């Protein structure tokens, strides 16, 4: 069934579908990830909480489709976590690599995962002072932005390195099979991409 009624996505070429029976392995991974994130934030208090999946849906984004700025909520609690997982990406969003084949770079997400040369995340935001340690200014190239999910939590300016302030926004790497889990209040948006295929 369609989940579009409950979502803000501008999905005119793709679709948004309700998942009525989420995969058991996916649910287990999601709940364990939520427990770990809660423990990192709340310490011992996290052990007293109940963890359950409220809703699961899929977004089949095609060329020109996007998600405007939004955050999530759930029917069971005033707080919680949200997540997303890229199951399939068109070639133009991951440099033509088949991440399941082990080709491409190798980062924390495994071959072709975040930390590799996949399109998206740039911790530096173009500031050479914030480049990853293994890069220098001549190597740095701006990240691709087509199809990326972007978090933002403040809008009052860019980074202030001298005050150790982060910029308040982050473009996330695009990688098949990498699960992102984050507090549901965190505002985010997904940029459109052009070309064939489905994200």
């Amino acid at each position: 069934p369609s989940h579009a009624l409950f979502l803000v996505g501008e999905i005119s070429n793709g679709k948004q579908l309700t998942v009525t029976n989420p995969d058991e392995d996916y649910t287990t991974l999601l709940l364990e990830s939520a427990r770990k994130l809660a423990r990192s934030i709340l310490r011992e208090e996290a052990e007293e909480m109940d963890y359950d999946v409220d809703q699961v849906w899929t977004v089949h984004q095609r060329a020109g489709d996007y998600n405007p700025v939004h955050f999530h909520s759930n029917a069971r609690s005033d707080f919680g976590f949200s997540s997303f997982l890229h199951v399939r990406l068109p070639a133009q969003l991951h440099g033509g690599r088949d991440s399941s084949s082990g080709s491409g770079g190798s980062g924390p997400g495994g071959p072709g995962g975040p930390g590799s040369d996949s399109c998206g995340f740039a911790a530096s935001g173009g500031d050479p002072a914030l480049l990853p340690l293994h890069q220098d200014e001549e190597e740095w190239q701006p990240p691709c932005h087509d199809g990326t999910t972007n978090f933002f939590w403040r809008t009052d300016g860019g980074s202030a390195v001298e005050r150790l302030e982060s910029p308040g926004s982050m473009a996330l790497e695009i990688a098949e099979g990498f699960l992102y889990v984050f507090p549901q209040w965190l505002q985010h948006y997904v940029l459109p991409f052009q070309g064939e295929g489905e994200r």
Side-chain angles (χ1 to χ4, degrees):
S2 176
H3 205 74
L5 180 64
F6 309 104
L7 302 175
V8 299
E10 295 292 331
I11 309 296
S12 56
N13 299 313
K15 54 192 170 188
Q16 301 170 107
L17 303 174
T18 303
V19 176
T20 54
N21 294 307
D23 178 80
E24 188 176 326
D25 290 339
Y26 169 75
T27 301
T28 300
L29 176 63
L30 181 60
L31 292 175
E32 184 54 32
S33 298
R35 283 185 191 93
K36 287 181 179 180
L37 183 54
R39 278 194 299 266
S40 73
I41 298 169
L42 300 172
R43 310 274 186 241
E44 298 82 30
E45 288 180 53
E47 301 302 327
E48 302 168 15
M49 296 185 170
D50 294 323
Y51 298 85
D52 200 5
V53 174
D54 185 46
Q55 298 178 49
V56 177
W57 64 88
T58 62
V59 177
H60 303 260
Q61 180 184 357
R62 294 196 172 269
D65 294 341
Y66 67 97
N67 258 293
V69 174
H70 66 285
F71 62 90
H72 297 160
S73 60
N74 72 76
R76 299 177 184 203
S77 174
D78 291 334
F79 59 93
F81 297 113
S82 293
S83 67
F84 68 89
L85 168 73
H86 291 112
V87 176
R88 175 181 25 212
L89 292 170
Q92 68 270 29
L93 294 187
H94 62 76
R97 291 188 318 270
D98 175 1
S99 61
S100 64
S101 71
S103 62
S106 183
S116 69
D117 57 348
S118 61
C119 181
F121 181 80
S124 72
D127 183 343
L130 299 177
L131 288 169
L133 294 176
H134 66 278
Q135 288 186 322
D136 61 29
E137 192 169 352
E138 289 79 37
E139 291 179 341
W140 186 83
Q141 295 192 3
C144 300
H145 287 291
D146 283 358
T148 58
T149 299
N150 298 266
F151 289 154
F152 76 98
W153 53 94
R154 59 173 252 228
T155 59
D156 60 347
S159 62
V161 176
E162 64 279 356
R163 294 191 310 265
L164 300 177
E165 290 183 23
S166 67
S169 65
M170 176 185 295
L172 303 174
E173 283 197 77
I174 297 176
E176 289 177 2
F178 193 84
L179 176 67
Y180 285 94
V181 179
F182 52 96
Q184 69 181 18
W185 58 260
L186 187 56
Q187 294 191 82
H188 54 286
Y189 57 96
V190 180
L191 294 172
F193 68 90
Q194 300 304 314
E196 295 297 316
E198 179 180 286
R199 170 191 179 273

